[in-house]
Each structure stands twice: as structure tokens, then as C-alpha cells.
Amino acid sequence: MAQPVVHFEIIGTDPTKLRGYYGQLFGWRFDTEGSVAPSISAAGDYGFAELDGVPGGIGGGTGFDPHVVFYVGVPDVEAALQQAERLGGIRRMGPDRAPGRDLVVGHFTDPEGNLVGLAGPAWAV
């Protein structure tokens, strides 16, 4: 059995802008009321999210190096890539069908340069 994704983090120099970006792109909502270790994010700049049982957060601030790696399941990878571009992202790959699978993947970088993966059904290509 594969290990499940149990948390994600997206850290950047402008966490408010990043939360707005992902909120518009995927409909995510964030709670900035909780505390987080100062080595992870500036105080008050970390927004927690719970996405279908997968917890995570977006934070950072001045002096934090942007970083992230995760995949988001979408019904149509091409449509999601186009929306990412309209919101200021840059397409890096795809959509490409995973060999031997009914899965399509794509990559884009968000406005901070973080690489993000998208995964969806092959029938949507």
C-alpha cells in the first residue's frame, strides 16, 4: 500500500497573494488564525486548509524561500492549465498521458515559481 499524502505546504515571499491565487484557481479556503513555528512562516502569514482530509497550509513571508511539490486532482488538466496561466502561472508540461494508465498530468509554476502538478482522467484530453 502506498503512503498517502498527509500534508502539503506552499511557502513563498507573498503568502497573501499565494492564498488568493490558489483560492481562485481551486476554490480553496484558508484559516490564518492558527499558530505555526517561526521557522515555517512569519506570524499571521500561514493559512491552514483541510482538503478532503489532506491537511496543509500556505505561508512564508519576507526571507522565506519559495518551495512546494504536490499534485492536485482535477477533472480536466488542460482546462486547469489554461486557468493557471490566466491567473499568472506558467505552463511547464502537459497535458501528457501517463504511459499505461488512464491518467493525464501537467505541470505549471505559480506566480512565485513553485512547481505544481495536476492529475486528471485521460478521457478529458
Side-chain angles (χ1 to χ4, degrees):
M1 179 194 243
Q3 297 296 311
V5 174
V6 297
H7 189 79
F8 70 89
E9 284 186 336
I10 305 168
I11 305 299
T13 59
D14 188 344
T16 301
K17 182 177 178 181
L18 284 175
R19 286 191 299 275
Y21 177 82
Y22 286 103
Q24 287 182 33
L25 183 60
F26 297 126
W28 295 354
R29 297 185 189 279
F30 301 94
D31 176 5
T32 57
E33 297 297 315
S35 61
V36 65
S39 60
I40 300 296
S41 178
D45 271 341
Y46 194 91
F48 288 92
E50 181 80 23
L51 310 172
D52 291 327
V54 179
I58 295 180
T62 303
F64 288 85
D65 291 331
H67 63 276
V68 68
V69 175
F70 67 99
Y71 277 82
V72 175
V74 295
D76 184 330
V77 171
E78 176 60 29
L81 286 168
Q82 288 178 14
Q83 178 70 355
E85 290 173 311
R86 280 192 294 276
L87 294 170
I90 299 170
R91 183 188 304 239
R92 296 296 181 190
M93 182 201 73
D96 290 337
R97 187 176 182 148
R101 300 186 60 202
D102 290 328
L103 176 69
V104 173
V105 296
H107 288 171
F108 67 93
T109 51
D110 68 19
E112 289 272 356
N114 295 307
L115 181 66
V116 179
L118 300 168
W123 57 264
V125 175

